[in-house]
Amino acid sequence: MERERKLTVAILAMLVLVAIIAIVDITLKIEEKTSKEKKFIIPSTAGVGIVRVDGPIELSGPSNLFGKPSGAEAIVRRLRELEDDSNIKAIVVRINSPGGTVAATQEIYNKIMKLRAKNIPVVASLGDVAASGGYYVASACNYIFANQGTVTGSIGVIAYSPNLKRLFDKFGIQMNVIKSGKYKDILSSHRDMTSEERMLLQNLIDSSYNRFVKDVAIGRNISQDEVRAIADGRVMTGEMALAFKLVDATGTFEDAVDKARELAGLPVDCPVYDGSSSPIEEIFGTMNGIFKGITGSELYPSYKLEYRYMP
Amino acid sequence: MRLENFKTLTWADFFLYSIIDPRALMRRIIQREPDPFWLSFVVPAASALFSMLTLSLMGRQSSFFYHKMSYGWIFVFMVTIVLVFVYSSMVDAVAQAYGLGGRVKHLIPLINFSFMPQLFILPALYPFIVGNFAPFFFYVAASIAAFIWRILIVVQGISEMHSIDFGRALVIFILPAVALFVSLFLALIMLVTMIVSFLS
């Protein structure tokens, strides 16, 4: 009996040993994975930094469940981080955006122009769509790659609001408006727009449009007339954009990274630092908004001038 | 458990008999030499730990593992203990309904020790995980085998405790198991409905 008891204790000890081995095994795998992930997020040697411009551009986008901000401010912050890091010798801006608000787009554009002024090469890689404000951002870069099928162009400005006057009349709804000046309810949805208001807004649009054309011309180092010739809001493919000198070459994201390495004089195998989220953050980031109802802010109209492609 | 009892290794008999002879295990539980009540909780605690280790080894490793092994382990252990208490009480009630004596204090260690086969899933599966040779298939197969083994331990223990045949012991085992399964299933549906309605 004594022998059997000792054998049982030996079996129990073996189970404990297996558990310890399993814990060590998992811990080592986690360590290995974490260091591998860190290697591509925190720059340790000279390499290329990646910045992603995804979706409509607004100044402050919603934070995800981890409190990570999005929008132009987050993009500018990421650009500043890369600028401050001495190991970042070139930057690739991956753009997949139909554009967005004027101010937000200009913030990113100006930041990229500052990086160019500091002799940090910036290469744009256009994804599915890089139209209007998306292209505005790209035009600030030293070199632009577009895929053959990328939808780009749409150089122009738009502002819009629905005219619900006829609907209001049909239901007998009248709005009581008390205003301090005659233009205070400009773009109001419950009445027709006056010719004066239209002219006022048109001036606003023209001003933003001229800024757009001027900035594209500066960024692309071409004349404003060349830009104006195609700046009528038209969209085009990457191939067409190449013919109109809006992009420098057709190519993929990898081509853009290689070009950034070349412009910075980096070896072809230098690391690429992508500030993308951890897998868990990505999952929750994707889920963010799934269960979201309509918030108050979405119920109220907001007047926005946008560099945006609206199919 | 006293130190002299620990040195004599008599406590090891409970673990040994739970694997090789559940009827002898039940006799030792009734004898209470030493009292196995508190010792028996080591087995569900270890079982919770081993289950999480096995699943972590097969799944995607992330630093969430450390939360699983701390908070997760405590949570799973507590849930297991609650289920053991509830199930033991239900088995006892069914046994009394059959006109048999109620001995819930003997049932709890029996059910706790019946978790022993689950401890062997991890060492049995480890080579398949390391070799990446159909680990999920073998995990499911080993889990089913361990579950059947657990049932045999409990049923034989009940049979020995009440000196009844295997068939009657099986009925006493199954009735509360079905009731518990249905209750948990309904509770799960209610929980999911509540969460979905809360989120939407």
Side-chain angles (χ1 to χ4, degrees), chain A residues 1-2 4-6 8-9 11-12 14-15 18-19 21-23 25-27 29-30 33 279-280 291, chain B residues 8-13 15-17 50 53 56-57 60-63 65-66 116 119-120 122-123 126 199:
Chain A
M1 194 64 202
E2 197 62 26
E4 284 162 349
R5 283 174 180 162
K6 283 180 180 168
T8 309
V9 173
I11 291 169
L12 294 176
M14 186 210 74
L15 288 173
V18 169
I21 290 170
I23 291 170
D25 189 3
I26 295 168
T27 306
K29 280 177 186 165
I30 293 168
K33 205 175 153 197
I280 293 174
F291 298 109
Chain B
T8 57
L9 300 182
T10 47
W11 54 270
D13 292 350
F15 297 96
L16 178 68
Y17 289 140
F50 275 59
L53 278 174
S56 297
L57 270 172
R60 190 178 176 179
Q61 277 91 25
S62 73
S63 51
F65 168 73
Y66 302 110
M116 271 302 282
L119 302 187
F120 295 103
L122 178 61
Y126 220 129
L199 287 172

Side-chain angles (χ1 to χ4, degrees), chain A residues 137-195:
Chain A
V137 170
S139 70
C141 300
N142 296 78
Y143 205 89
I144 304 176
F145 275 97
N147 290 290
Q148 282 93 340
T150 297
V151 175
T152 187
S154 186
I155 297 172
V157 192
I158 187 170
Y160 56 94
S161 85
N163 186 349
L164 305 177
K165 185 176 178 296
R166 250 63 71 194
L167 188 71
F168 277 38
D169 289 345
K170 192 175 178 183
F171 288 101
I173 300 168
Q174 283 188 320
M175 293 291 277
N176 296 318
V177 181
I178 300 101
K179 54 187 178 179
S180 57
K182 60 179 178 178
Y183 297 123
K184 196 59 192 165
D185 62 343
I186 199 165
L187 273 179
S188 176
S189 59
H190 60 267
R191 63 175 175 81
D192 292 326
M193 187 185 285
T194 65
S195 55

